[in-house]
Amino acid sequence: QVIKCKAAVLWEVNKPFSIEEVEVAPPKEHEVRIKIVATGICRSDDHVITGALVEPFPIILGHEAAGVVESVGQGVTSVKPGDKVVPLFVPQCGECKSCLNTKGNLCMKTDLGTTSGLMPDGTSRFTCKGKAIHHFLGTSTFTEYTVVHESAVAKIDSAAPLEKVCLIGCGFSTGYGAALQTAKVEPGSTCAVFGLGGVGLSVIMGCKAAGAARIIAVDINSNKFAKAKELGATDCINPKDFDKPIHEVLTEMTGGGVDYSFEVIGRTDTMTAAFACCHYNYGVSVIVGVPPAAQNITFDPMLLFTGRNWKGSVFGGWKSKDAVPKLVDDYMKKKFVLDPLITHTLPWTKINEGFDLLRTGK
């Protein structure tokens, strides 16, 4: 049965979302149709609006959500109608090289970096005004109903509050895992976190959970410092308060550089600064923010030659289908908090206001 429902459609770049009636096709073989209950707003969605992340239009964005399975296609065994689930923008097919390797988590079935904007079979499940609408990262959660591949959905605890655990679909897991999984932060270490949005704050929580002794939070918006300290930051610094490059400030503050640094903004200048502020011989710097399209980094290779490690992290290094249910269980056991990451709760028809709040740093 085709479902008619409301969705936030983005027709072209740099335009607001348009709330439209869309038709959502039934799930095909190995696909799952989900009623979305709550969705988070992530800067990666905004990157598509501004053109920094290139995707095909028209498109339904959104990739951080939680919902309830409405129906399943043939051959689906891991979920059934009525199950509470989190869609996964990094799927876990269990068969590709990344899925089979203990060191990897970026399943080759992901739409990240391919910009196909379609389901794995090369077609779309969304139609609006007679036109096919593209999917985003295989999830598309800015709609009342969406269709995902079975490899891109995780069944979670039926008691979990969906309006909180939706953040485990991207922001929280991405930051928390960057510290625990990708960097493998050690007890007693010193960390620097560039960017104090929801993901940056989640990195701070991960560093604290790992036992870091010093966590230096860096942002040009000092309004973000109180929450960073509440979640575990020991120092907060604003680059605007110094007349020298921020990596020099951090190197001096820490007597030679931090053990671990994290760039959680998605800017090439801060990526290089985060890399330069980690210890010249054994420092590890992790890129967590999505890099802007068509921009390259130029840096002195001596920064690498001396022993620093530069790493990237997608979805916090977690194998999604395995990790998301466990992270939800940890949340239910109060091993970490999500409430401080939620600043506003809006009816989703006010999605454009939500993005305005994101862009103004609120």
Side-chain angles (χ1 to χ4, degrees), residues 41-55:
I41 287 176
C42 178
R43 181 68 78 174
S44 308
D45 301 305
D46 192 46
H47 285 331
V48 179
I49 299 170
T50 61
L53 189 58
V54 179
E55 292 286 337

Side-chain angles (χ1 to χ4, degrees), residues 267-330:
R267 291 176 58 101
T268 52
D269 53 345
T270 40
M271 287 173 186
T272 318
F275 185 47
C277 82
C278 71
H279 189 274
Y280 73 93
N281 180 216
Y282 53 76
V284 174
S285 186
V286 182
I287 290 175
V288 188
V290 176
Q295 284 192 30
N296 292 328
I297 292 182
T298 306
F299 68 99
D300 177 357
M302 188 58 85
L303 287 169
L304 262 177
F305 172 74
T306 50
R308 281 183 185 86
N309 272 289
W310 212 350
K311 296 179 139 186
S313 180
V314 176
F315 194 59
W318 304 106
K319 286 196 187 279
S320 58
K321 217 167 156 86
D322 294 343
V324 165
K326 290 181 185 146
L327 287 165
V328 171
D329 290 344
D330 283 350

Side-chain angles (χ1 to χ4, degrees), residues 41-306:
I41 287 176
C42 178
R43 181 68 78 174
S44 308
D45 301 305
D46 192 46
H47 285 331
V48 179
I49 299 170
T50 61
L53 189 58
V54 179
E55 292 286 337
F57 289 88
I59 191 167
I60 294 174
L61 295 178
H63 62 283
E64 176 182 278
V68 177
V69 174
E70 177 271 333
S71 59
V72 298
Q74 260 187 312
V76 171
T77 55
S78 59
V79 295
K80 63 184 186 305
D83 284 348
K84 282 191 180 180
V85 291
V86 168
L88 309 168
F89 74 91
V90 172
Q92 186 182 345
C93 72
E95 294 160 8
C96 70
K97 270 189 154 175
S98 295
C99 283
L100 292 172
N101 192 305
T102 54
K103 298 178 199 161
N105 79 315
L106 187 53
C107 176
M108 287 149 123
K109 298 262 166 72
T110 181
D111 202 26
L112 194 64
T114 67
T115 68
S116 83
L118 298 167
M119 293 295 284
D121 73 349
T123 61
S124 167
R125 300 291 164 273
F126 299 118
T127 318
C128 180
K129 299 178 180 170
K131 285 186 76 165
I133 308 293
H134 291 93
H135 293 249
F136 179 54
L137 299 182
T139 47
S140 289
T141 62
F142 294 166
T143 167
E144 292 174 319
Y145 287 88
T146 191
V147 177
V148 303
H149 191 268
E150 186 181 12
S151 62
V153 62
K155 179 184 175 179
I156 58 164
D157 183 343
S158 61
L162 299 182
E163 72 285 1
K164 314 271 193 214
V165 299
C166 60
L167 298 181
I168 292 173
C170 176
F172 172 76
S173 307
T174 295
Y176 194 65
L180 293 173
Q181 294 272 116
T182 309
K184 297 191 165 49
V185 170
E186 293 163 319
S189 58
T190 300
C191 303
V193 180
F194 288 68
L196 303 176
V199 185
L201 293 171
S202 301
V203 172
I204 289 173
M205 287 195 255
C207 292
K208 187 181 178 187
R214 194 171 183 197
I215 303 168
I216 306 164
V218 185
D219 202 300
I220 54 172
N221 180 352
S222 299
N223 294 334
K224 305 222 169 199
F225 292 168
K227 194 162 273 189
K229 286 200 159 147
E230 177 195 330
L231 292 171
T234 53
D235 310 66
C236 293
I237 57 174
N238 188 331
K240 290 180 171 172
D241 297 342
F242 302 92
D243 47 15
K244 61 169 87 167
I246 193 64
H247 72 271
E248 289 179 19
V249 175
L250 286 157
T251 304
E252 281 170 27
M253 274 176 74
T254 54
V258 300
D259 299 307
Y260 302 96
S261 66
F262 301 86
E263 198 280 352
V264 205
I265 303 164
R267 291 176 58 101
T268 52
D269 53 345
T270 40
M271 287 173 186
T272 318
F275 185 47
C277 82
C278 71
H279 189 274
Y280 73 93
N281 180 216
Y282 53 76
V284 174
S285 186
V286 182
I287 290 175
V288 188
V290 176
Q295 284 192 30
N296 292 328
I297 292 182
T298 306
F299 68 99
D300 177 357
M302 188 58 85
L303 287 169
L304 262 177
F305 172 74
T306 50

Side-chain angles (χ1 to χ4, degrees), residues 8 17 38-47 49 61-66 136 141-142 163 166-167 169-172 197-199 341-360 362:
F17 291 97
T39 184
I41 287 176
C42 178
R43 181 68 78 174
S44 308
D45 301 305
D46 192 46
H47 285 331
I49 299 170
L61 295 178
H63 62 283
E64 176 182 278
F136 179 54
T141 62
F142 294 166
E163 72 285 1
C166 60
L167 298 181
C170 176
F172 172 76
V199 185
L341 301 178
I342 301 170
T343 56
H344 298 74
T345 303
L346 301 166
W348 83 268
T349 45
K350 293 196 173 174
I351 189 161
N352 288 308
E353 290 173 40
F355 274 86
D356 290 339
L357 290 164
L358 173 79
R359 292 174 194 130
T360 51
K362 292 178 182 156

